[in-house]
Amino acid sequence: MSTIEATDTFPTATITSCSDRLPIEVVLLSQLAPGAGTQLVQLSSKRQTAHAKYVDDLDEPSAKLGGTDFNKGDATSFYSFSVGAKGHPFHCHAGHRIFTAMSGSVGTQLRFSTASEAVFTADPGAFFRAMHVVNIPPDCLFVVRFPGMVWHQFVPLQPNTAHPALFAISCHSNELSGIENTELQNKIIENDASIPSLTTLLPDSINALVSHSYLATLQVPTTTLSFNAPANTLQQHFCSRFRAFMGSFKGYFTRFAGRGFLSINKAFKAVKRSTPANSLLQQFYREECEHEDCFSIDIKVCDAPSTNSALLLEHILDAFITQPALGVTAFMMTRNILVKPFGWRTSPLGCPVSSLLSDAPAQLFAKRFAVLQQHCDQQSNTAEVILGADDKHLRFRSSVAVQDQKNGFIRVSLATKVKCNNALGRWYLRLIKYVHLQYIVPTMLQHAVISVTVARPGTMVEAA
């Protein structure tokens, strides 16, 4: 016989341990729209597979999102993990765990046993006598906290379903806690641990007894948390069926999910300045130059990926090519369509750096970038390359330079000179000059600087 207790706050289950340890706590936070659980779990699991530290093991795919830093006294880490339609095997961890999760659209069953291995090795039945089950309804956000060495298994609430059990973000409050193996300790200190490496599986002799049908024959204490309708009511039954249907429907569309984006405003403002007197660009179009501009950004040395100017310039040039600002790319696509009938040059890159894609470079900077000229001083304080191209209507030369200011800042500059060949070129220059100065050049420069200082490899970034 079950009892039902109403609450005006978050429904909570607290499970007392058989040993003298902290209790297991499960808190139901919110229930989302019908079908949202399976949709979110599938979509998040799909993105998880693309993570650089993705691991697929023990029926619990996971990714290390944030690691330890023992040099700075930080022993914490956090992971994402998912559990599919078949659930995962019973296991435990030496350390304390806290995770926030989203249940699939048929709900999730959380199975815990607080029996110690020494006890259930001598008496297998002790494992099941120390078991407690918590049922989470479909499409729900919930939090779980439990101490180390608690055996647990997570499965969909309904057997033989196509819906996943959950997707979670797990916090390890102290990754070294309870770890006695020296090799594993070193792995953790080197920030090379993973969820599988921190997992101990239930012995085969006990695991062979664990099945949904077997557990159904036992009188396992069960707590069911829910919103809106208590367990085993007609309303709850109808809602569960409807949410399962909507989960299948919405889950279908996760295969068409788009890419993620990271938009960052790190106060990198491109400032318009005069072209430096010692710039290689000064030797071009000294008398007949019809346009000249120079924008620069000062980066704190601590924000730069390298204090070597040549290496930082290499990163900047790579960002121009591999991570172009989306707005500039869209502008260039429109420009290319409009000028194609005139037979002018076209490029997906903004004109100041479009010659980086040249097939016949005069020189190669860092053995890969097409440039017209280059200069790096022996102390690696200054590095500069000259880009440019000659077209029917105009010619341009651009300078991309990196210089250590010796005041805690490194200056990255993008300067351009333009010489028009005819009246059409002068007309074109007047037409695009405002957009070039107000958007194209500062956006390209800001975007490249942001990409090399704060973005992660493979991440698309749109400059603010």
Side-chain angles (χ1 to χ4, degrees):
M1 181 178 179
S2 62
T3 60
I4 299 173
E5 181 180 342
T7 177
D8 292 327
T9 184
F10 305 111
T12 302
T14 302
I15 304 169
T16 304
S17 173
C18 287
S19 55
D20 188 21
R21 286 181 291 180
L22 293 171
I24 300 164
E25 297 166 291
V26 182
V27 181
L28 201 60
L29 299 177
S30 181
Q31 190 166 36
L32 303 186
T38 289
Q39 183 184 34
L40 185 149
V41 174
Q42 290 182 348
L43 179 59
S44 300
S45 298
K46 179 181 178 181
R47 294 192 184 282
Q48 179 179 249
T49 61
H51 196 274
K53 293 191 176 181
Y54 172 72
V55 177
D56 188 0
D57 199 6
L58 305 180
D59 294 320
E60 186 181 0
S62 61
K64 190 169 191 173
L65 306 183
T68 58
D69 189 343
F70 286 92
N71 291 328
K72 295 182 178 180
D74 186 3
T76 65
S77 62
F78 66 102
Y79 298 78
S80 66
F81 71 89
S82 55
V83 180
K86 295 182 180 179
H88 63 24
F90 259 106
H91 62 273
C92 72
H93 310 290
H96 183 258
R97 294 291 184 266
I98 305 172
F99 69 84
T100 301
M102 184 71 191
S103 62
S105 294
V106 297
T108 307
Q109 185 170 86
L110 312 176
R111 301 169 178 172
F112 301 99
S113 177
T114 57
S116 67
E117 186 169 359
V119 170
F120 65 69
T121 298
D123 177 13
F127 180 85
F128 299 98
R129 291 194 297 272
M131 185 179 292
H132 196 114
V133 168
V134 179
N135 291 335
I136 303 294
D139 307 320
C140 276
L141 186 68
F142 62 99
V143 176
V144 179
R145 181 169 72 161
F146 56 90
M149 300 312 296
V150 168
W151 299 92
H152 54 281
Q153 180 186 44
F154 308 144
V155 298
L157 189 54
Q158 297 179 13
N160 305 317
T161 182
H163 291 273
L166 59 84
F167 180 86
I169 301 297
S170 178
C171 175
H172 299 182
S173 55
N174 184 348
E175 192 119 288
L176 275 176
S177 177
I179 303 297
E180 298 179 355
N181 183 288
T182 303
E183 183 179 350
L184 183 53
Q185 287 178 346
N186 293 333
K187 205 170 186 178
I188 293 170
I189 292 172
E190 293 170 3
N191 197 24
D192 198 30
S194 63
I195 284 183
S197 68
L198 300 169
T199 297
T200 301
L201 291 175
L202 188 66
D204 291 340
S205 58
I206 305 298
N207 196 51
L209 301 175
V210 178
S211 68
H212 187 84
S213 57
Y214 176 71
L215 293 178
T217 65
L218 302 177
Q219 292 184 341
V220 177
T222 301
T223 301
T224 300
L225 304 178
S226 63
F227 289 112
N228 304 316
N232 302 319
T233 62
L234 184 61
Q235 181 183 356
Q236 185 270 336
H237 178 74
F238 172 79
C239 289
S240 296
R241 290 296 182 92
F242 179 67
R243 287 180 178 276
F245 168 78
M246 291 301 297
S248 298
F249 177 74
K250 290 183 177 181
Y252 173 81
F253 293 98
T254 58
R255 68 187 67 185
F256 307 113
R259 302 181 70 178
F261 298 91
L262 178 66
S263 300
I264 301 172
N265 182 354
K266 207 168 186 287
F268 289 132
K269 182 175 177 60
V271 178
K272 196 172 187 298
R273 292 187 170 93
S274 299
T275 304
N278 60 350
S279 170
L280 295 176
L281 191 62
Q282 296 290 15
Q283 64 185 282
F284 295 94
Y285 314 142
R286 292 183 177 180
E287 296 180 357
E288 65 264 27
C289 175
E290 294 174 81
H291 172 78
E292 181 175 358
D293 64 70
C294 177
F295 288 84
S296 63
I297 294 177
D298 289 347
I299 310 171
K300 291 180 180 179
V301 170
C302 60
D303 284 337
S306 173
T307 56
N308 183 304
S309 294
L311 184 57
L312 181 55
L313 178 57
E314 182 179 347
H315 288 315
I316 293 290
L317 296 179
D318 180 73
F320 282 138
I321 296 174
T322 62
Q323 299 189 56
L326 301 183
V328 174
T329 299
F331 181 87
M332 292 304 299
M333 290 175 61
T334 303
R335 178 259 183 202
N336 292 340
I337 293 172
L338 295 175
V339 305
K340 190 173 182 180
F342 298 98
W344 295 355
R345 290 177 66 254
T346 59
S347 173
L349 302 181
C351 285
V353 301
S354 60
S355 64
L356 285 171
L357 301 179
S358 172
D359 293 330
Q363 302 179 32
L364 286 178
F365 174 74
K367 299 182 180 180
R368 54 183 290 224
F369 299 106
V371 302
L372 299 180
Q373 291 186 33
Q374 59 181 297
H375 169 73
C376 300
D377 65 12
Q378 294 182 347
Q379 291 76 33
S380 296
N381 294 325
T382 303
E384 182 181 13
V385 296
I386 296 295
L387 311 173
D390 299 336
D391 209 346
K392 292 181 179 180
H393 60 308
L394 58 76
R395 291 169 284 166
F396 76 89
R397 296 294 182 267
S398 297
S399 161
V400 185
V402 174
Q403 183 176 28
D404 189 342
Q405 300 292 94
K406 298 301 182 181
N407 60 356
F409 288 86
I410 298 174
R411 178 165 294 175
V412 181
S413 302
L414 176 57
T416 307
K417 281 188 173 184
V418 179
K419 168 61 182 172
C420 297
N421 296 334
N422 47 45
L424 188 59
R426 287 187 287 273
W427 173 83
Y428 175 77
L429 181 61
R430 286 195 295 269
L431 183 65
I432 60 96
K433 186 174 182 178
Y434 180 82
V435 177
H436 175 85
L437 290 175
Q438 298 298 318
Y439 180 71
I440 299 294
V441 179
T443 298
M444 289 175 59
L445 185 59
Q446 289 170 190
H447 186 88
V449 169
I450 290 173
S451 298
V452 303
T453 55
V454 296
R456 299 291 183 264
T459 303
M460 292 295 293
V461 182
E462 179 60 70

